[in-house]
Amino acid sequence: MTSGRPLVFAHRGGADALPEHTLAAYLRALDEGADGVECDVRLTRDGHLVCVHDRRLNRTSNGTGLVSAKTLAQLEELDFASWHPAAAAEEWLADHVRLLTLDRLLTALRDRGRPVRLLIETKHPSRYGADVERRLVEMLRRYGLAEPKPDDPIHVTVMSFAALALRRIRRLAPQIPTVYLLEIVPPGVGGGRLPFGARIAGPGIGLIRSRPQLVSALRAAGHQTYIWTVNEEPDLDLVLAQRPDGIISDRPKFVLDRLEKVPPV
């Protein structure tokens, strides 16, 4: 928590206001005061980490097919922003329609001039399996972020629904904190256990609606909680009552404004 309130993370950069996973979205979220941002990463055919949520390109670009079947050069020819309603209204978005790589995002965050928290979700299943985490840790080492220090400009946390992905991160870079993402409660987790050294649970808002006691159980077991994706006022009310450590939202400004008006108890 920050100053007694939960951390606020911009989900995919704040996917409500601007096209998800575009640099414009990330920069806007930080300008509006988000504590951190969240991105998804996938591997291209030629081994580059790119910030794209879906397996397929159809929803968020003017391309088709699998992200994993394309080279970086092929993906960089596509438009990743014009599908969003904001693209027509924001002329300056024309400079930010191209694919966002993790390398480019890290550079932009480093240049912000203030500490930024970055949640990176590795997407599985993937045809490249363990290479996703291996490439990720290699990149974080190049940026000096694989062994976190208090004065680092970027504080990275890796998230996944795949427990094996968390095990790989723990083996490759044991000092990087990890989040075990949850849509359901696997055996044992309801009692507070998380796999492979994860210290943060990431339950979805649907799970919190059906299992409101889950956060307190996880807290009693010594775990933090980051809840996703909290976009509506009733859900925010429910989540704030649980006193989570982090809130992940497509509408980070909405969450920040609410926290300013009604600070958590």
Side-chain angles (χ1 to χ4, degrees), residues 213-239:
Q213 75 282 7
L214 179 61
V215 173
S216 58
L218 290 163
R219 184 184 300 113
H223 300 308
Q224 297 182 43
T225 52
Y226 291 175
I227 302 175
W228 56 273
T229 304
V230 185
N231 293 332
E232 303 301 331
E233 189 165 353
D235 287 336
L236 183 55
D237 289 341
L238 173 64
V239 165

Side-chain angles (χ1 to χ4, degrees), residues 169-242:
I169 293 295
R170 188 181 188 188
R171 177 175 57 84
L172 294 167
Q175 295 183 48
I176 294 178
T178 54
V179 177
Y180 185 40
L181 295 170
L182 300 165
E183 284 188 298
I184 61 171
V185 180
V189 172
R193 290 189 299 159
L194 298 179
F196 300 119
R199 302 299 298 170
I200 308 170
I205 184 60
L207 186 55
I208 296 301
R209 293 189 202 109
S210 63
R211 298 279 295 270
Q213 75 282 7
L214 179 61
V215 173
S216 58
L218 290 163
R219 184 184 300 113
H223 300 308
Q224 297 182 43
T225 52
Y226 291 175
I227 302 175
W228 56 273
T229 304
V230 185
N231 293 332
E232 303 301 331
E233 189 165 353
D235 287 336
L236 183 55
D237 289 341
L238 173 64
V239 165
L240 290 177
Q242 305 298 315

